[in-house]
């Protein structure tokens, strides 16, 4: 999770710096940087995002199984 977040932030700041060197300043710099970094991250960070999603899905399944087990134990009582 932290790795993917750091990669997203790094992408944003790299785009921001590149546009800043192209003499872009102010709000347009931030907006264009955000849009471009989002588009880049969709393609460039696909594998880390899929790994993160799988990790979250495993956690949810574990919690769901635990909740089902507790519910079954309560029903048996």
């Amino acid at each position: 999770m932290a790795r993917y977040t750091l990669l997203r932030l790094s992408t944003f700041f790299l785009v921001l710096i590149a546009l800043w060197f192209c003499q872009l300043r102010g709000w347009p710099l931030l907006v264009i940087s955000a849009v471009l970094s989002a588009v880049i991250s969709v393609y460039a960070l696909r594998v880390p995002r899929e790994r993160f999603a799988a990790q979250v899905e495993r956690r949810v399944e574990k919690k769901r199984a635990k909740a089902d087990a507790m519910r079954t134990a309560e029903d048996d009582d």
Side-chain angles (χ1 to χ4, degrees), residues 11-21 24 29-30 33-34 37:
T11 303
F12 173 75
F13 284 114
L14 287 173
V15 171
L16 184 99
I17 291 168
L19 291 175
W20 187 79
F21 279 120
L24 195 60
L29 172 66
L30 295 175
S33 295
S37 68

Side-chain angles (χ1 to χ4, degrees), residues 19-68:
L19 291 175
W20 187 79
F21 279 120
C22 293
Q23 303 301 317
L24 195 60
R25 303 286 192 267
W27 285 106
L29 172 66
L30 295 175
V31 172
I32 294 171
S33 295
V35 170
L36 285 178
S37 68
V39 171
I40 290 169
S41 69
V42 165
Y43 297 106
L45 301 180
R46 186 183 78 233
V47 174
R49 183 177 55 251
E50 289 173 354
R51 287 182 190 156
F52 174 63
Q55 183 181 23
V56 169
E57 188 174 346
R58 281 192 301 271
R59 287 183 186 173
V60 168
E61 285 299 320
K62 284 181 184 178
K63 289 185 181 205
R64 186 175 292 143
K66 185 177 178 181
D68 287 343

